[in-house]
Amino acid sequence: MRVLHYVHRFSPIGEDFIYDQLVDLGASGVEVMVATLERHRPRERPFSRVELIGVPDGLSPEASVAELRGRLDALVDASSCQLVHAHFGQAGVLLHP
């Protein structure tokens, strides 16, 4: 199974449980990919499949959401993910069709 996990920030201090869960999923045979706007602590929390999907500066909030949604949709299509997971409510709202 291929899973795309979306978080606004990947592995900042205080959210180690997400990193640990992804590592455990990978060890169990699940192909895990992370899509994020910001990457934190890459040396302390190495993870090979992280896609930074930043939004260009200067866009209105509405245009930023539309652009981000488009980038996430393209990543889902390109990676053939079978499941997209968001840990937090705001991320889930963004991903909802």
Side-chain angles (χ1 to χ4, degrees):
M1 173 180 266
R2 288 186 195 99
V3 177
L4 174 66
H5 184 91
Y6 175 72
V7 288
H8 293 310
R9 296 176 317 237
F10 180 59
S11 211
I13 292 173
E15 293 181 10
D16 292 341
F17 66 96
I18 294 173
Y19 174 83
D20 295 341
Q21 182 182 44
L22 298 178
V23 170
D24 289 346
L25 283 171
S28 72
V30 176
E31 291 180 49
V32 181
M33 174 188 275
V34 176
T36 188
L37 298 175
E38 300 173 18
R39 175 78 190 260
H40 294 255
R41 303 185 306 153
R43 283 189 218 122
E44 296 91 344
R45 295 292 190 182
F47 199 83
S48 61
R49 299 202 62 199
V50 177
E51 295 287 331
L52 292 172
I53 54 166
V55 176
D57 291 334
L59 293 178
S60 69
E62 296 81 12
S64 294
V65 169
E67 177 70 20
L68 181 56
R69 179 57 196 245
R71 289 178 184 204
L72 284 168
D73 287 345
L75 186 57
V76 169
D77 290 344
S79 64
S80 302
C81 286
Q82 297 159 307
L83 175 70
V84 179
H85 177 74
H87 248 297
F88 302 109
Q90 289 178 325
V93 168
L94 176 68
L95 292 173
H96 189 270

PDB file of all heavy atoms in Angstrom, residues 8-35:
ATOM      1  N   HIS A   8       1.593  20.286   7.580  1.00  0.00           N
ATOM      2  CA  HIS A   8       2.118  21.605   7.224  1.00  0.00           C
ATOM      3  C   HIS A   8       3.622  21.682   7.500  1.00  0.00           C
ATOM      4  O   HIS A   8       4.369  22.243   6.710  1.00  0.00           O
ATOM      5  CB  HIS A   8       1.401  22.715   7.995  1.00  0.00           C
ATOM      6  CG  HIS A   8      -0.039  22.875   7.630  1.00  0.00           C
ATOM      7  ND1 HIS A   8      -0.484  22.987   6.335  1.00  0.00           N
ATOM      8  CD2 HIS A   8      -1.147  22.932   8.399  1.00  0.00           C
ATOM      9  CE1 HIS A   8      -1.790  23.116   6.323  1.00  0.00           C
ATOM     10  NE2 HIS A   8      -2.223  23.080   7.565  1.00  0.00           N
ATOM     11  N   ARG A   9       4.049  21.121   8.655  1.00  0.00           N
ATOM     12  CA  ARG A   9       5.471  21.092   9.036  1.00  0.00           C
ATOM     13  C   ARG A   9       5.818  19.645   9.370  1.00  0.00           C
ATOM     14  O   ARG A   9       5.120  19.013  10.162  1.00  0.00           O
ATOM     15  CB  ARG A   9       5.715  21.962  10.267  1.00  0.00           C
ATOM     16  CG  ARG A   9       5.458  23.416  10.057  1.00  0.00           C
ATOM     17  CD  ARG A   9       5.635  24.163  11.358  1.00  0.00           C
ATOM     18  NE  ARG A   9       5.012  23.414  12.443  1.00  0.00           N
ATOM     19  CZ  ARG A   9       4.073  23.871  13.259  1.00  0.00           C
ATOM     20  NH1 ARG A   9       3.662  25.098  13.147  1.00  0.00           N
ATOM     21  NH2 ARG A   9       3.569  23.124  14.198  1.00  0.00           N
ATOM     22  N   PHE A  10       6.904  19.161   8.790  1.00  0.00           N
ATOM     23  CA  PHE A  10       7.275  17.770   9.064  1.00  0.00           C
ATOM     24  C   PHE A  10       8.367  17.684  10.114  1.00  0.00           C
ATOM     25  O   PHE A  10       9.469  18.174   9.925  1.00  0.00           O
ATOM     26  CB  PHE A  10       7.727  17.049   7.795  1.00  0.00           C
ATOM     27  CG  PHE A  10       8.115  15.628   8.050  1.00  0.00           C
ATOM     28  CD1 PHE A  10       7.215  14.732   8.592  1.00  0.00           C
ATOM     29  CD2 PHE A  10       9.385  15.193   7.774  1.00  0.00           C
ATOM     30  CE1 PHE A  10       7.574  13.427   8.859  1.00  0.00           C
ATOM     31  CE2 PHE A  10       9.758  13.881   8.021  1.00  0.00           C
ATOM     32  CZ  PHE A  10       8.847  13.002   8.560  1.00  0.00           C
ATOM     33  N   SER A  11       8.035  17.083  11.212  1.00  0.00           N
ATOM     34  CA  SER A  11       8.882  16.692  12.328  1.00  0.00           C
ATOM     35  C   SER A  11       9.509  17.834  13.138  1.00  0.00           C
ATOM     36  O   SER A  11      10.667  17.767  13.509  1.00  0.00           O
ATOM     37  CB  SER A  11       9.968  15.715  11.872  1.00  0.00           C
ATOM     38  OG  SER A  11      10.267  14.841  12.939  1.00  0.00           O
ATOM     39  N   PRO A  12       8.692  18.858  13.461  1.00  0.00           N
ATOM     40  CA  PRO A  12       9.213  19.834  14.409  1.00  0.00           C
ATOM     41  C   PRO A  12       9.232  19.231  15.816  1.00  0.00           C
ATOM     42  O   PRO A  12       8.599  18.194  16.067  1.00  0.00           O
ATOM     43  CB  PRO A  12       8.209  20.990  14.325  1.00  0.00           C
ATOM     44  CG  PRO A  12       6.930  20.330  13.957  1.00  0.00           C
ATOM     45  CD  PRO A  12       7.328  19.180  13.050  1.00  0.00           C
ATOM     46  N   ILE A  13       9.927  19.886  16.720  1.00  0.00           N
ATOM     47  CA  ILE A  13       9.942  19.436  18.116  1.00  0.00           C
ATOM     48  C   ILE A  13       8.505  19.413  18.625  1.00  0.00           C
ATOM     49  O   ILE A  13       7.732  20.332  18.392  1.00  0.00           O
ATOM     50  CB  ILE A  13      10.818  20.370  18.969  1.00  0.00           C
ATOM     51  CG1 ILE A  13      12.280  20.221  18.553  1.00  0.00           C
ATOM     52  CG2 ILE A  13      10.640  20.097  20.460  1.00  0.00           C
ATOM     53  CD1 ILE A  13      13.221  21.199  19.200  1.00  0.00           C
ATOM     54  N   GLY A  14       8.144  18.349  19.293  1.00  0.00           N
ATOM     55  CA  GLY A  14       6.797  18.205  19.839  1.00  0.00           C
ATOM     56  C   GLY A  14       5.885  17.347  18.973  1.00  0.00           C
ATOM     57  O   GLY A  14       4.783  16.993  19.395  1.00  0.00           O
ATOM     58  N   GLU A  15       6.312  17.014  17.755  1.00  0.00           N
ATOM     59  CA  GLU A  15       5.499  16.172  16.880  1.00  0.00           C
ATOM     60  C   GLU A  15       6.274  14.931  16.454  1.00  0.00           C
ATOM     61  O   GLU A  15       6.090  14.408  15.352  1.00  0.00           O
ATOM     62  CB  GLU A  15       5.023  16.964  15.666  1.00  0.00           C
ATOM     63  CG  GLU A  15       4.046  18.064  16.030  1.00  0.00           C
ATOM     64  CD  GLU A  15       3.550  18.855  14.835  1.00  0.00           C
ATOM     65  OE1 GLU A  15       3.800  18.458  13.670  1.00  0.00           O
ATOM     66  OE2 GLU A  15       2.894  19.880  15.071  1.00  0.00           O
ATOM     67  N   ASP A  16       7.107  14.436  17.343  1.00  0.00           N
ATOM     68  CA  ASP A  16       7.898  13.238  17.041  1.00  0.00           C
ATOM     69  C   ASP A  16       7.021  12.010  16.813  1.00  0.00           C
ATOM     70  O   ASP A  16       7.411  11.092  16.102  1.00  0.00           O
ATOM     71  CB  ASP A  16       8.892  12.958  18.165  1.00  0.00           C
ATOM     72  CG  ASP A  16       9.989  14.021  18.236  1.00  0.00           C
ATOM     73  OD1 ASP A  16      10.197  14.736  17.242  1.00  0.00           O
ATOM     74  OD2 ASP A  16      10.634  14.109  19.292  1.00  0.00           O
ATOM     75  N   PHE A  17       5.842  11.993  17.408  1.00  0.00           N
ATOM     76  CA  PHE A  17       4.963  10.839  17.255  1.00  0.00           C
ATOM     77  C   PHE A  17       4.596  10.598  15.793  1.00  0.00           C
ATOM     78  O   PHE A  17       4.405   9.453  15.385  1.00  0.00           O
ATOM     79  CB  PHE A  17       3.699  11.000  18.108  1.00  0.00           C
ATOM     80  CG  PHE A  17       2.799  12.125  17.676  1.00  0.00           C
ATOM     81  CD1 PHE A  17       1.717  11.869  16.849  1.00  0.00           C
ATOM     82  CD2 PHE A  17       3.026  13.421  18.100  1.00  0.00           C
ATOM     83  CE1 PHE A  17       0.881  12.901  16.445  1.00  0.00           C
ATOM     84  CE2 PHE A  17       2.195  14.456  17.710  1.00  0.00           C
ATOM     85  CZ  PHE A  17       1.118  14.196  16.880  1.00  0.00           C
ATOM     86  N   ILE A  18       4.524  11.654  14.992  1.00  0.00           N
ATOM     87  CA  ILE A  18       4.204  11.482  13.568  1.00  0.00           C
ATOM     88  C   ILE A  18       5.363  10.791  12.858  1.00  0.00           C
ATOM     89  O   ILE A  18       5.173   9.829  12.121  1.00  0.00           O
ATOM     90  CB  ILE A  18       3.884  12.840  12.911  1.00  0.00           C
ATOM     91  CG1 ILE A  18       2.608  13.412  13.513  1.00  0.00           C
ATOM     92  CG2 ILE A  18       3.761  12.687  11.398  1.00  0.00           C
ATOM     93  CD1 ILE A  18       2.296  14.815  13.060  1.00  0.00           C
ATOM     94  N   TYR A  19       6.566  11.278  13.092  1.00  0.00           N
ATOM     95  CA  TYR A  19       7.752  10.653  12.503  1.00  0.00           C
ATOM     96  C   TYR A  19       7.839   9.181  12.916  1.00  0.00           C
ATOM     97  O   TYR A  19       8.045   8.302  12.071  1.00  0.00           O
ATOM     98  CB  TYR A  19       9.010  11.402  12.947  1.00  0.00           C
ATOM     99  CG  TYR A  19      10.290  10.739  12.495  1.00  0.00           C
ATOM    100  CD1 TYR A  19      10.791  10.964  11.224  1.00  0.00           C
ATOM    101  CD2 TYR A  19      10.982   9.880  13.340  1.00  0.00           C
ATOM    102  CE1 TYR A  19      11.964  10.365  10.806  1.00  0.00           C
ATOM    103  CE2 TYR A  19      12.155   9.274  12.939  1.00  0.00           C
ATOM    104  CZ  TYR A  19      12.639   9.514  11.673  1.00  0.00           C
ATOM    105  OH  TYR A  19      13.793   8.905  11.264  1.00  0.00           O
ATOM    106  N   ASP A  20       7.658   8.910  14.200  1.00  0.00           N
ATOM    107  CA  ASP A  20       7.738   7.529  14.694  1.00  0.00           C
ATOM    108  C   ASP A  20       6.696   6.644  14.025  1.00  0.00           C
ATOM    109  O   ASP A  20       6.977   5.502  13.664  1.00  0.00           O
ATOM    110  CB  ASP A  20       7.571   7.502  16.212  1.00  0.00           C
ATOM    111  CG  ASP A  20       8.710   8.197  16.943  1.00  0.00           C
ATOM    112  OD1 ASP A  20       9.794   8.388  16.345  1.00  0.00           O
ATOM    113  OD2 ASP A  20       8.498   8.570  18.120  1.00  0.00           O
ATOM    114  N   GLN A  21       5.493   7.171  13.852  1.00  0.00           N
ATOM    115  CA  GLN A  21       4.438   6.392  13.205  1.00  0.00           C
ATOM    116  C   GLN A  21       4.796   6.085  11.748  1.00  0.00           C
ATOM    117  O   GLN A  21       4.597   4.961  11.275  1.00  0.00           O
ATOM    118  CB  GLN A  21       3.121   7.148  13.257  1.00  0.00           C
ATOM    119  CG  GLN A  21       1.967   6.375  12.645  1.00  0.00           C
ATOM    120  CD  GLN A  21       0.684   7.152  12.654  1.00  0.00           C
ATOM    121  OE1 GLN A  21       0.681   8.336  12.338  1.00  0.00           O
ATOM    122  NE2 GLN A  21      -0.394   6.499  13.020  1.00  0.00           N
ATOM    123  N   LEU A  22       5.351   7.059  11.040  1.00  0.00           N
ATOM    124  CA  LEU A  22       5.714   6.844   9.641  1.00  0.00           C
ATOM    125  C   LEU A  22       6.836   5.825   9.505  1.00  0.00           C
ATOM    126  O   LEU A  22       6.815   4.982   8.602  1.00  0.00           O
ATOM    127  CB  LEU A  22       6.095   8.165   8.987  1.00  0.00           C
ATOM    128  CG  LEU A  22       4.985   9.213   8.935  1.00  0.00           C
ATOM    129  CD1 LEU A  22       5.494  10.496   8.309  1.00  0.00           C
ATOM    130  CD2 LEU A  22       3.774   8.692   8.207  1.00  0.00           C
ATOM    131  N   VAL A  23       7.809   5.893  10.394  1.00  0.00           N
ATOM    132  CA  VAL A  23       8.899   4.917  10.379  1.00  0.00           C
ATOM    133  C   VAL A  23       8.343   3.511  10.646  1.00  0.00           C
ATOM    134  O   VAL A  23       8.713   2.552   9.957  1.00  0.00           O
ATOM    135  CB  VAL A  23       9.989   5.295  11.408  1.00  0.00           C
ATOM    136  CG1 VAL A  23      10.989   4.169  11.586  1.00  0.00           C
ATOM    137  CG2 VAL A  23      10.700   6.568  10.956  1.00  0.00           C
ATOM    138  N   ASP A  24       7.449   3.392  11.600  1.00  0.00           N
ATOM    139  CA  ASP A  24       6.846   2.089  11.902  1.00  0.00           C
ATOM    140  C   ASP A  24       6.026   1.560  10.730  1.00  0.00           C
ATOM    141  O   ASP A  24       6.075   0.367  10.418  1.00  0.00           O
ATOM    142  CB  ASP A  24       5.967   2.173  13.149  1.00  0.00           C
ATOM    143  CG  ASP A  24       6.764   2.343  14.429  1.00  0.00           C
ATOM    144  OD1 ASP A  24       8.006   2.140  14.401  1.00  0.00           O
ATOM    145  OD2 ASP A  24       6.152   2.701  15.461  1.00  0.00           O
ATOM    146  N   LEU A  25       5.283   2.439  10.073  1.00  0.00           N
ATOM    147  CA  LEU A  25       4.517   2.016   8.893  1.00  0.00           C
ATOM    148  C   LEU A  25       5.447   1.513   7.801  1.00  0.00           C
ATOM    149  O   LEU A  25       5.188   0.484   7.168  1.00  0.00           O
ATOM    150  CB  LEU A  25       3.666   3.164   8.362  1.00  0.00           C
ATOM    151  CG  LEU A  25       2.394   3.494   9.114  1.00  0.00           C
ATOM    152  CD1 LEU A  25       1.791   4.794   8.585  1.00  0.00           C
ATOM    153  CD2 LEU A  25       1.394   2.355   8.993  1.00  0.00           C
ATOM    154  N   GLY A  26       6.529   2.239   7.570  1.00  0.00           N
ATOM    155  CA  GLY A  26       7.507   1.819   6.562  1.00  0.00           C
ATOM    156  C   GLY A  26       8.117   0.473   6.887  1.00  0.00           C
ATOM    157  O   GLY A  26       8.303  -0.368   6.009  1.00  0.00           O
ATOM    158  N   ALA A  27       8.409   0.255   8.163  1.00  0.00           N
ATOM    159  CA  ALA A  27       8.998  -1.024   8.580  1.00  0.00           C
ATOM    160  C   ALA A  27       8.019  -2.183   8.411  1.00  0.00           C
ATOM    161  O   ALA A  27       8.434  -3.328   8.252  1.00  0.00           O
ATOM    162  CB  ALA A  27       9.452  -0.931  10.038  1.00  0.00           C
ATOM    163  N   SER A  28       6.724  -1.868   8.393  1.00  0.00           N
ATOM    164  CA  SER A  28       5.727  -2.923   8.231  1.00  0.00           C
ATOM    165  C   SER A  28       5.390  -3.192   6.764  1.00  0.00           C
ATOM    166  O   SER A  28       4.514  -3.990   6.453  1.00  0.00           O
ATOM    167  CB  SER A  28       4.449  -2.578   9.002  1.00  0.00           C
ATOM    168  OG  SER A  28       3.756  -1.532   8.359  1.00  0.00           O
ATOM    169  N   GLY A  29       6.073  -2.490   5.851  1.00  0.00           N
ATOM    170  CA  GLY A  29       5.878  -2.746   4.430  1.00  0.00           C
ATOM    171  C   GLY A  29       5.042  -1.717   3.695  1.00  0.00           C
ATOM    172  O   GLY A  29       4.850  -1.824   2.487  1.00  0.00           O
ATOM    173  N   VAL A  30       4.542  -0.711   4.384  1.00  0.00           N
ATOM    174  CA  VAL A  30       3.770   0.340   3.741  1.00  0.00           C
ATOM    175  C   VAL A  30       4.740   1.331   3.103  1.00  0.00           C
ATOM    176  O   VAL A  30       5.728   1.716   3.713  1.00  0.00           O
ATOM    177  CB  VAL A  30       2.875   1.074   4.776  1.00  0.00           C
ATOM    178  CG1 VAL A  30       2.141   2.239   4.137  1.00  0.00           C
ATOM    179  CG2 VAL A  30       1.890   0.093   5.406  1.00  0.00           C
ATOM    180  N   GLU A  31       4.471   1.718   1.859  1.00  0.00           N
ATOM    181  CA  GLU A  31       5.280   2.747   1.199  1.00  0.00           C
ATOM    182  C   GLU A  31       4.744   4.107   1.641  1.00  0.00           C
ATOM    183  O   GLU A  31       3.603   4.448   1.344  1.00  0.00           O
ATOM    184  CB  GLU A  31       5.172   2.629  -0.315  1.00  0.00           C
ATOM    185  CG  GLU A  31       5.834   1.407  -0.887  1.00  0.00           C
ATOM    186  CD  GLU A  31       5.697   1.359  -2.391  1.00  0.00           C
ATOM    187  OE1 GLU A  31       5.981   2.380  -3.054  1.00  0.00           O
ATOM    188  OE2 GLU A  31       5.285   0.309  -2.896  1.00  0.00           O
ATOM    189  N   VAL A  32       5.555   4.853   2.369  1.00  0.00           N
ATOM    190  CA  VAL A  32       5.111   6.112   2.959  1.00  0.00           C
ATOM    191  C   VAL A  32       5.850   7.273   2.317  1.00  0.00           C
ATOM    192  O   VAL A  32       7.069   7.244   2.167  1.00  0.00           O
ATOM    193  CB  VAL A  32       5.370   6.127   4.485  1.00  0.00           C
ATOM    194  CG1 VAL A  32       4.878   7.426   5.097  1.00  0.00           C
ATOM    195  CG2 VAL A  32       4.704   4.937   5.152  1.00  0.00           C
ATOM    196  N   MET A  33       5.099   8.307   1.960  1.00  0.00           N
ATOM    197  CA  MET A  33       5.649   9.540   1.430  1.00  0.00           C
ATOM    198  C   MET A  33       5.065  10.693   2.248  1.00  0.00           C
ATOM    199  O   MET A  33       3.909  10.624   2.674  1.00  0.00           O
ATOM    200  CB  MET A  33       5.257   9.712  -0.034  1.00  0.00           C
ATOM    201  CG  MET A  33       5.665  11.044  -0.629  1.00  0.00           C
ATOM    202  SD  MET A  33       4.982  11.260  -2.274  1.00  0.00           S
ATOM    203  CE  MET A  33       6.233  10.406  -3.205  1.00  0.00           C
ATOM    204  N   VAL A  34       5.852  11.729   2.464  1.00  0.00           N
ATOM    205  CA  VAL A  34       5.402  12.902   3.204  1.00  0.00           C
ATOM    206  C   VAL A  34       5.367  14.091   2.257  1.00  0.00           C
ATOM    207  O   VAL A  34       6.318  14.333   1.518  1.00  0.00           O
ATOM    208  CB  VAL A  34       6.346  13.205   4.386  1.00  0.00           C
ATOM    209  CG1 VAL A  34       5.933  14.494   5.093  1.00  0.00           C
ATOM    210  CG2 VAL A  34       6.375  12.042   5.363  1.00  0.00           C
ATOM    211  N   ALA A  35       4.280  14.842   2.297  1.00  0.00           N
ATOM    212  CA  ALA A  35       4.178  16.121   1.606  1.00  0.00           C
ATOM    213  C   ALA A  35       4.079  17.187   2.688  1.00  0.00           C
ATOM    214  O   ALA A  35       3.293  17.050   3.629  1.00  0.00           O
ATOM    215  CB  ALA A  35       2.948  16.159   0.714  1.00  0.00           C
TER     216      ALA A  35
END
